[in-house]
């Protein structure tokens, strides 16, 4: 290192890494000073060579960087790095090992190139080694690239990298400073720990060894010393411990790096005399510890003291500061200067990502789960600038210019802060158009990036998460209204303006569901969306539904039902204007005494087109017309029959639920589950119930959702509780292995994973054991019967938008409501030829409410064809009581028209007669006749 430039620069490594000072010229050179960079006080960068070459003068202004204000420089043997105040990193020079980080195969790049891979990462420091480059972010994330022959990149191997790679071994290390030698690297943590990696042949790693280290390793001899400064020479390392006011050296001393001529190849850190050029310590001179900087060069190391001037350094990228913001609002500065600062920060992804950091050092834990942002500071900033429209509009203007350039493949979790910050700066309705662009930028992220953003959303505070939901719901609503108002020739083409916020809203809903529904689902509803189907479904329903069904969270339950029924009608050629088209029907004849056999026969002989038709069931020999009640009777009887233990179709459990058998071949007909699935699909398509007592897990599987331990607790309460205890017990050994004993007639032992019988369940792997147990019960053990069931279900229900339903909604639609408010039933009744005050009506309700629950359900089956209330009617079920006006009422039993939900109730002479006739009717209710 040339002594003549010591007072003008501070170095790091073979070359130097310098930080721009406001009132000083800063120089940086390679190790032999043949190539120098000079940064003027106004931020202009010039390049100098010892000798001119063809087409290249000895001195030139680096004009490729334009008007960018450069705040840091670093020089390697033959390459250079420059960091701008706007957060952009540029490299140029030799690239034989990929040290420029631009993925280029070109060996020489004479002009500065932007390191695209680090775009948006708020960098705190840059450093260059002989032929490798290192950066550290404001939150301590370290990235390395270039030559890696000795492991100097810290990536665990010796393969060169041509683009920045994250040094995972330093995650949560809280790195605040880095320095590079020719082929080694040192990192300093916020707690004052030092780790080194790379070439160790001269002892420069300080591990009492000459071995190379491929991964960062803590310098044990410095443990607890709280180092404040580090610097690497070509083959040595120097550190400073302020509490002791001592310097420690390790590495090669052959070339006179130290004033006291320390012994060559020092393998561990040992104290040395202070290498200050005055020979006195900084403390003796009265300078602050912060005011001293140490430099390690090729031939010499030294320390430099200065009196700290907190305004003298422009050593970092621009970030928001309270005083600066207050100046914007108060207009204490000239508008031109304010505008320039706003443009500098809000046109830079990196500067935004470096702002609003959690001041409690939590930002050093930034990961896919932790954003490192203090969201309350973001909100406070918005509240400030929103009061000054001039400032706020300028911020919005710069954000608008920034949005199209956001990266679709971020390298760091720090990149994702901008997606959390910007929506809260655009909360006003005048920011809706920018929220639309923001949504489009988010949806350009790669799947892995979207997953990271969802993790960060899930860890937002509930109040901030709710605000985010409300914001995207509002913008989605506005987009839908604009879509409705479009001209007819564009009405079906949902563009990015409409789908962007809807996609974000749907993803936010999925996050909400995974985190325990912190925000009520009604906050996601966009009720205006139903108007699209009301107005246009008769023109091009399929296109409309295909677009909208991707976002089920925007529909409330009533809207989903409307969409499902509308699609089913369209597939059946039922027009919303019935005069235009006549629906096709499927005449489905069965004999009551051979119901299952006839049903299976009809299903096997049916074409795919038959399942699109409206089902009309006819019980042979009976006169009932099927307007819903007759077909409901078919589904109810079929489900009841198939659930009888004697059929062998299902496994029965103490929970009163049924599940698929492990061996589907135990059924007489190998197509049993295909046919059962078809029957269930037909019920959904025709809006009927098919009350199989399946657990919630079945409906999750139909919707491609994974069953959980909670679902196992529903099906197998005892086993579920045992597994729950396993997760909560505090002991090293649980006396279990990764096997499961089959129940019932089987005594087979099944391994939950390969070699499971030899793997004990411990505190560390018990979560895996429980997950595998649940997966075996609900998936692996019943794979074949469920696949058959699913195949049949999709055949029986050619509609597809039922997947918008939640599992609990689908369960209610197929199984019906099993609990009722009988007084609400009374309240909803309509009377014909009767008045509510008539004695017969009063007697009827007196008798009815005194019936046991079982008899009440039998009455419901007598009235509607099922002992359950359909889920499609939501909160009310309405039927009619009509006087049949017969001559001798005491001789006639009540009868029902199930298709219309009408109870014909004669005017009985007494309460006793009414009860007798009613009970007889409901206990002999199978069979249909014409009323």
């Amino acid at each position: 290192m040339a002594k003549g430039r010591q007072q003008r620069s501070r170095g790091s490594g073979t070359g130097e890494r310098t930080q721009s000072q406001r009132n000083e010229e800063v120089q940086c050179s390679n190790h032999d000073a043949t190539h120098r960079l000079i940064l003027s006080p106004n931020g202009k960068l010039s390049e100098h060579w010892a000798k001119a070459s063809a087409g290249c003068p000895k001195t030139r202004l680096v004009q490729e960087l334009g008007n960018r204000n450069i705040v840091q420089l670093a020089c390697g043997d033959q390459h250079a790095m420059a960091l701008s105040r706007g957060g952009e990193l540029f490299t140029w020079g030799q690239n034989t090992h990929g040290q420029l980080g631009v993925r280029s195969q070109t060996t020489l790049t004479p002009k500065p190139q932007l390191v695209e891979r680090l775009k948006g990462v708020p960098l705190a420091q840059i450093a260059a080694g002989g032929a490798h480059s290192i950066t550290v972010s404001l939150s301590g994330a370290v990235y390395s690239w270039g030559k890696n022959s000795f492991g100097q990149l810290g990536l665990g191997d010796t393969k060169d990298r041509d683009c920045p790679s994250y040094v995972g071994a330093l995650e949560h290390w809280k790195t605040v400073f880095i320095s590079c030698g020719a082929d080694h690297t040192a990192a300093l943590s916020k707690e004052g720990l030092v780790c080194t990696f790379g070439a160790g042949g001269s002892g420069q790693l300080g591990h009492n060894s000459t071995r190379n280290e491929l991964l960062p390793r803590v310098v044990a001899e410095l443990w607890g010393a709280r180092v404040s400064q580090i610097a690497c020479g070509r083959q040595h390392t120097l550190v400073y411990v302020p509490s002791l006011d001592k310097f420690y050296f390790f590495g090669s001393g052959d070339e006179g790096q130290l004033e006291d001529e320390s012994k060559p190849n020092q393998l561990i850190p040992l104290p040395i005399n202070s290498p200050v050029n005055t020979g006195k310590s900084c403390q003796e001179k009265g300078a602050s510890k912060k005011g001293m900087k140490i430099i390690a060069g090729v031939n010499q190391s030294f320390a430099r003291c200065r009196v700290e001037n907190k305004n003298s350094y422009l050593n970092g990228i621009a970030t928001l500061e309270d005083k600066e913001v207050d100046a914007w609002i108060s207009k204490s500065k000239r508008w031109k200067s304010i505008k320039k600062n706003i443009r500098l920060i809000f046109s830079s992804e990196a500067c935004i990502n470096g702002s609003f950091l959690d001041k409690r050092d939590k930002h050093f834990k930034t990961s896919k789960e932790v954003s490192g942002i203090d969201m309350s500071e973001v909100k406070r900033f918005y509240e400030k600038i929103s009061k000054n429209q001039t400032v706020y509009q300028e911020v919005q203007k710069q954000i608008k210019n920034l949005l199209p350039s956001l990266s679709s493949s971020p390298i760091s979790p720090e990149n994702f802060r901008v997606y959390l910050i910007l929506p809260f700066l655009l909360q006003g309705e005048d920011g809706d158009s920018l929220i639309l662009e923001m949504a489009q930028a988010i949806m350009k992220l790669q799947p892995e990036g979207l997953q990271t953003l969802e993790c960060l959303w899930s860890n937002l505070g509930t109040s901030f998460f709710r605000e985010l939901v409300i914001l995207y719901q509002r913008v989605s609503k506005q987009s839908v209204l604009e879509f409705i108002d479009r001209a007819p020739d564009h009405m079906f083409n949902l563009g990015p303006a409409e789908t962007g916020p809807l996609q974000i809203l749907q993803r936010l809903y999925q996050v909400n569901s995974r985190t325990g529904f912190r925000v009520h689902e009604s906050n996601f509803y966009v009720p205006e969306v139903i108007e699209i189907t009301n107005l246009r479904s008769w023109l091009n329903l399929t296109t409309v539904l295909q677009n909208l069904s991707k976002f089920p969270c925007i529909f409330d339950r009533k809207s989903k039902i409307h969409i499902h029924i509308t699609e089913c009608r369209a597939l059946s050629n039922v027009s919303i204007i019935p005069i235009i088209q006549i629906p096709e029907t499927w005449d489905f004849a069965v004999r009551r005494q051979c119901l299952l056999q006839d049903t299976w026969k009809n299903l096997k002989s049916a074409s795919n087109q038959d399942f699109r038709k409206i089902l009309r069931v006819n019980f042979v020999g009976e006169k009932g017309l099927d307007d819903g009640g007759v077909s409901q009777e078919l589904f109810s009887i079929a489900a009841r029959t198939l659930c009888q233990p004697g059929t062998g179709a299902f496994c029965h459990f103490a929970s009163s639920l049924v599940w698929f058998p492990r061996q589907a071949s135990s059924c007489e007909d190998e197509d049993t589950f295909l046919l059962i699935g078809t029957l269930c699909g037909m019920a959904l398509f025709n809006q009927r119930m098919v009350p199989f007592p399946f657990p919630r897990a079945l409906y999750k599987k139909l919707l491609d959702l994974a069953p959980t331990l909670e679902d196992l607790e529903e099906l197998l309460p005892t086993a579920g509780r045992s597994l729950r205890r396993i997760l909560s017990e505090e002991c090293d050994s649980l006396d279990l292995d990764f096997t499961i004993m089959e129940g019932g007639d089987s005594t087979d032992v099944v391994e939950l994973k390969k070699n499971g019988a030899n793997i004990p369940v411990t505190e560390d792997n018990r979560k895996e054991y429980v997950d595998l147990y649940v997966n075996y019960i609900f998936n692996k053990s019943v794979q074949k019967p469920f696949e058959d069931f699913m195949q049949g279900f999709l055949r029986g229900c050619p509609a597809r938008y039922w997947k918008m339903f939640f599992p609990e909604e689908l369960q209610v639609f197929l199984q019906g409501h099993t609990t009722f408010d009988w007084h609400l039933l009374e309240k909803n009744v309509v009377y014909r030829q009767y008045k509510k005050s008539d004695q017969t009506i009063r007697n009827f309700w007196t008798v009815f409410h005194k019936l046991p629950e079982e008899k009440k359900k039998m009455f419901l089956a007598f009235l509607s064809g099922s002992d359950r209330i359909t889920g499609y009617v939501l909160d009310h079920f309405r039927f009619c009581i009509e006087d049949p006006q017969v001559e001798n009422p005491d001789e006639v039993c009540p009868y029902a028209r199930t298709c219309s939900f009408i109870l014909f109730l004669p005017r009985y002479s007494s309460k006793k007669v009414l009860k007798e006739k009613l009970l007889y009717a409901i206990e002999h209710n199978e069979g249909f006749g014409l009323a």
Side-chain angles (χ1 to χ4, degrees):
M1 177 180 292
K3 295 182 180 180
R5 53 191 172 80
Q6 291 172 4
Q7 301 303 314
R8 289 192 172 188
S9 65
R10 52 188 293 267
S12 175
T14 303
E16 297 181 18
R17 195 270 314 169
T18 69
Q19 297 181 322
S20 168
Q21 292 177 290
R22 192 179 300 274
N23 300 313
E24 296 182 26
E25 179 183 90
V26 179
Q27 296 189 21
C28 174
S29 72
N30 64 347
H31 73 277
D32 56 6
T34 58
H35 174 210
R36 288 187 301 154
L37 296 175
I38 299 178
L39 186 62
S40 66
N42 64 1
K44 299 296 182 182
L45 183 65
S46 59
E47 194 169 20
H48 301 258
W49 285 268
K51 296 180 180 180
S53 59
C56 184
K58 291 183 65 176
T59 302
R60 78 175 184 100
L61 185 67
V62 185
Q63 297 179 336
E64 295 83 4
L65 296 178
N67 295 322
R68 291 178 177 85
N69 188 359
I70 301 302
V71 295
Q72 289 188 29
L73 299 171
C75 280
D77 281 351
Q78 300 181 55
H79 76 288
M81 305 168 69
L83 178 66
S84 77
R85 187 154 170 76
E88 298 168 301
L89 177 62
F90 296 90
T91 58
W92 64 97
Q94 288 289 340
N95 193 39
T96 51
H97 296 281
Q99 58 262 53
L100 301 187
V102 293
R103 292 187 181 274
S104 172
Q105 301 299 318
T106 306
T107 56
L108 176 64
T109 301
K111 297 180 180 180
Q113 302 289 314
L114 178 67
V115 182
E116 291 278 357
R117 188 72 174 129
L118 289 175
K119 179 182 175 184
V121 178
L123 297 178
Q125 188 208 339
I126 61 175
H132 71 286
S133 305
I134 306 279
T135 64
V136 61
S137 76
L138 288 172
S139 293
V142 179
Y143 302 90
S144 62
W145 63 96
K147 185 179 179 182
N148 196 31
S149 304
F150 302 93
Q152 57 263 54
L153 300 186
L155 301 175
D157 57 40
T158 56
K159 179 182 177 182
D160 291 354
R161 301 294 197 281
D162 62 2
C163 70
S165 298
Y166 176 61
V167 183
L170 289 175
E171 186 173 7
H172 304 320
W173 171 258
K174 295 186 179 180
T175 305
V176 294
F177 197 84
I178 46 176
S179 186
C180 298
D183 296 303
H184 79 288
T185 306
L188 175 66
S189 79
K190 195 172 189 299
E191 285 76 18
L193 297 174
V194 178
C195 70
T196 56
F197 45 99
S202 298
Q204 61 264 52
L205 301 185
H207 300 311
N208 196 24
S209 166
T210 57
R211 187 179 64 189
N212 301 334
E213 297 289 344
L214 306 185
L215 288 169
R217 180 179 172 185
V218 175
V219 181
E221 295 290 335
L222 295 173
W223 189 272
R226 294 197 69 86
V227 173
S228 68
Q229 301 269 342
I230 60 173
C232 294
R234 176 168 283 277
Q235 293 180 343
H236 71 278
T237 305
L238 188 67
V239 305
Y240 175 66
V241 181
S243 62
L244 302 174
D245 191 25
K246 286 187 177 181
F247 293 87
Y248 289 81
F249 169 89
F250 43 100
S252 173
D254 287 344
E255 300 180 16
Q257 286 90 341
L258 305 177
E259 292 184 356
D260 64 350
E261 298 296 331
S262 178
K263 294 180 181 180
N265 298 341
Q266 181 65 53
L267 302 185
I268 61 173
L270 289 178
I272 59 172
N273 292 332
S274 174
V276 182
N277 54 338
T278 64
K280 298 180 180 180
S281 76
C282 284
Q283 290 177 336
E284 290 173 340
K285 293 184 67 174
S288 70
K289 297 171 187 176
K290 290 184 178 179
M292 181 181 63
K293 305 295 177 182
I294 63 174
I295 301 170
V298 179
N299 300 316
Q300 162 178 71
S301 297
F302 61 90
R304 180 161 59 102
C305 293
R306 62 178 175 80
V307 177
E308 185 71 33
N309 180 349
K310 60 185 178 183
N311 294 320
S312 66
Y313 266 62
L314 276 178
N315 59 6
I317 66 173
T319 57
L320 283 172
E321 297 180 4
D322 285 341
K323 290 182 179 179
E324 189 74 20
V325 174
D326 291 340
W328 295 355
I329 305 305
S330 64
K331 298 183 180 178
S332 60
K333 289 187 176 182
R334 294 175 57 188
W335 172 242
K336 185 177 181 180
S337 174
I338 294 173
K339 189 175 179 180
K340 181 179 179 181
N341 287 338
I342 292 175
R343 181 166 56 249
L344 175 64
I345 293 175
F346 286 97
S347 64
S348 167
E349 188 178 348
C351 293
I352 294 174
N353 288 331
S355 301
F356 309 109
L357 299 186
D358 194 309
K359 292 181 175 59
R360 297 163 296 176
D361 284 351
K362 188 178 178 181
H363 70 93
F364 279 108
K365 297 180 181 180
T366 298
S367 65
K368 292 181 179 181
E369 288 78 33
V370 179
S371 70
I373 298 173
D374 185 342
M375 293 303 298
S376 61
E377 287 297 310
V378 178
K379 188 173 183 178
R380 191 161 68 90
F381 172 73
Y382 169 73
E383 291 171 350
K384 281 186 177 181
I385 63 170
S386 60
K387 296 175 182 177
N388 187 318
Q389 281 302 302
T390 303
V391 172
Y392 186 46
Q393 287 172 6
E394 185 62 28
V395 170
Q396 286 185 315
K397 177 182 176 182
Q398 298 308 323
I399 291 175
K400 180 176 178 62
N401 295 333
L402 170 67
L403 288 174
S405 65
L406 294 180
S407 174
S408 62
S409 303
I411 187 177
S412 164
E414 293 178 75
N415 284 97
F416 293 90
R417 291 171 178 164
V418 68
Y419 298 106
L420 300 179
I421 294 170
L422 293 188
F424 289 93
L425 303 186
L426 302 170
Q427 292 182 64
E429 293 189 6
D430 54 349
D432 284 359
S433 61
L434 295 181
I435 291 294
L436 289 174
E437 293 185 42
M438 185 78 193
Q440 294 175 42
I442 290 175
M443 295 315 302
K444 289 179 182 177
L445 290 172
Q446 298 298 315
E448 184 178 354
L450 284 170
Q451 185 178 5
T452 297
L453 183 57
E454 288 181 10
C455 285
L456 294 174
W457 281 339
S458 69
N459 287 298
L460 278 176
T462 299
S463 61
F464 294 111
F465 184 76
R466 181 183 292 107
E467 286 184 44
L468 198 61
V469 170
I470 293 172
L471 177 63
Y472 279 106
Q473 187 269 356
R474 186 189 76 212
V475 176
S476 296
K477 176 180 177 180
Q478 185 60 36
S479 298
V480 168
L481 288 174
E482 292 176 2
F483 176 76
I484 292 173
D485 292 338
R486 282 184 184 179
D489 55 335
H490 298 297
M491 63 178 61
F492 305 114
N493 298 321
L494 279 171
E498 293 83 22
T499 60
L502 290 173
Q503 286 176 304
I504 301 302
L505 198 59
Q506 181 62 35
R507 287 184 176 273
L508 287 169
Y509 180 84
Q510 292 168 347
V511 170
N512 191 50
S513 65
R514 290 196 296 267
T515 54
F517 291 97
R518 296 181 293 166
V519 176
H520 193 273
E521 59 187 28
S522 61
N523 289 288
F524 296 85
Y525 295 159
V526 182
E528 290 77 10
V529 77
I530 201 65
E531 293 300 318
I532 297 178
T533 59
N534 288 338
L535 294 173
R536 289 153 181 164
S537 57
W538 60 277
L539 291 174
N540 196 337
L541 176 68
T542 303
T543 303
V544 172
L545 293 181
Q546 186 174 2
N547 285 325
L548 296 178
S549 64
K550 300 173 185 175
F551 319 111
C553 75
I554 66 177
F555 298 99
D556 58 18
R557 191 177 178 190
K558 183 177 180 181
S559 298
K560 291 180 196 175
I561 291 173
H562 175 81
I563 293 290
H564 173 61
I565 293 176
T566 302
E567 183 193 12
C568 293
R569 286 178 177 173
L571 291 172
S572 300
N573 294 321
V574 179
S575 173
I576 293 197
I577 305 176
I579 300 175
I580 297 178
Q581 294 182 356
I582 299 175
E584 291 188 79
T585 60
W586 182 8
D587 294 326
F588 201 93
V590 294
R591 295 166 295 171
R592 187 175 292 274
Q593 65 274 21
C594 302
L595 186 141
L596 276 185
Q597 295 91 321
D598 288 353
T599 299
W600 291 167
K601 180 179 178 181
N602 287 338
L603 296 185
K604 290 179 179 180
S605 63
S607 66
N608 289 337
Q609 186 61 34
D610 286 332
F611 294 101
R612 291 172 171 260
K613 300 174 183 178
I614 294 179
L615 185 66
R616 291 288 183 261
V617 172
N618 171 34
F619 281 97
V620 177
E622 300 177 18
K623 297 181 179 180
L625 296 178
D626 187 11
D627 284 329
V630 180
S631 51
Q632 182 58 69
E633 176 82 357
L634 169 71
F635 289 114
S636 297
I637 296 175
R640 187 169 65 244
T641 303
L642 286 165
C643 286
Q644 292 175 357
T647 62
F650 296 105
C651 292
H652 295 257
F653 297 94
S655 58
S656 299
L657 300 175
V658 299
W659 192 238
F660 301 101
R662 185 167 66 96
Q663 296 294 337
S665 58
S666 62
C667 301
E668 295 181 2
D669 192 331
E670 292 184 0
D671 294 331
T672 294
F673 292 104
L674 177 71
L675 296 171
I676 293 175
T678 304
L679 192 70
C680 292
M682 288 171 60
L684 183 63
F685 186 79
N686 290 277
Q687 295 94 61
R688 302 289 181 266
M689 295 174 288
V690 56
F692 288 103
F694 290 126
R696 179 72 53 82
L698 173 74
Y699 304 97
K700 284 188 173 183
K701 287 170 66 65
L702 288 172
L703 296 168
D704 297 323
L705 300 174
T708 63
L709 177 56
E710 288 73 19
D711 298 306
L712 187 68
E713 288 176 305
E714 180 193 18
L715 180 66
L716 299 168
T718 302
R721 287 193 296 269
S722 296
L723 292 175
R724 184 74 66 185
R725 282 195 298 271
I726 289 173
L727 291 176
S728 61
E729 285 183 1
E730 295 184 5
C731 59
D732 295 333
S733 178
L734 297 168
D735 196 26
L736 292 169
D737 54 36
F738 277 74
T739 62
I740 183 174
M741 179 74 75
E742 286 289 351
D745 297 331
S746 174
T747 57
D748 295 341
V749 175
V750 179
E751 291 188 323
L752 296 175
K753 61 186 297 186
K754 187 176 181 180
N755 197 33
N758 297 316
I759 301 175
V761 177
T762 65
E763 188 173 353
D764 293 331
N765 64 18
R766 59 186 175 180
K767 177 65 167 58
E768 180 189 10
Y769 170 77
V770 171
D771 290 342
L772 289 174
Y773 194 112
V774 172
N775 181 67
Y776 180 79
I777 296 297
F778 286 124
N779 298 316
K780 191 173 181 180
S781 67
V782 296
Q783 181 177 347
K784 179 60 168 64
F786 177 76
E787 286 177 353
D788 291 346
F789 180 91
M790 187 68 180
Q791 180 184 349
F793 191 91
L794 295 176
R795 186 182 186 222
C797 183
R800 290 296 177 263
Y801 302 123
W802 55 268
K803 289 205 170 186
M804 292 191 298
F805 293 122
F806 301 132
E808 56 272 22
E809 292 174 333
L810 192 59
Q811 183 175 19
V812 168
F813 297 146
L814 284 171
Q815 293 187 0
H817 292 289
T818 57
T819 58
F820 320 105
D821 182 345
W822 299 111
H823 290 282
L824 182 61
L825 186 71
E826 177 184 359
K827 182 180 178 181
N828 290 331
V829 167
V830 175
Y831 301 100
R832 293 179 187 170
Q833 283 86 47
Y834 270 124
K835 292 181 181 179
K836 186 177 181 180
S837 59
D838 287 348
Q839 187 62 47
T840 302
I841 298 300
R842 293 203 305 269
N843 289 342
F844 171 80
W845 288 114
T846 300
V847 169
F848 179 82
H849 287 304
K850 289 183 178 180
L851 292 176
E853 188 74 10
E854 181 185 357
K855 297 296 182 183
K856 290 177 181 176
K857 290 186 177 182
M858 291 176 67
F859 168 77
L860 196 59
F862 166 71
L863 176 67
S864 65
S866 172
D867 62 356
R868 303 179 181 212
I869 294 178
T870 175
Y872 294 96
V873 295
L874 299 178
D875 298 327
H876 63 273
F877 174 76
R878 181 167 296 164
F879 73 98
C880 174
I881 297 180
E882 183 175 331
D883 181 1
Q885 298 180 336
V886 294
E887 292 184 4
N888 299 306
D890 286 357
E891 297 179 4
V892 181
C893 287
Y895 56 95
R897 183 177 294 165
T898 57
C899 53
S900 305
F901 300 150
I902 299 175
L903 171 66
F904 293 96
L905 182 67
R907 290 181 183 267
Y908 296 113
S909 59
S910 67
K911 187 189 302 183
K912 179 180 179 182
V913 175
L914 187 151
K915 181 178 181 180
E916 179 184 328
K917 295 295 185 182
L918 180 63
L919 287 174
Y920 182 85
I922 64 177
E923 290 170 356
H924 301 79
N925 68 329
E926 288 191 356
F928 290 88
L930 290 172

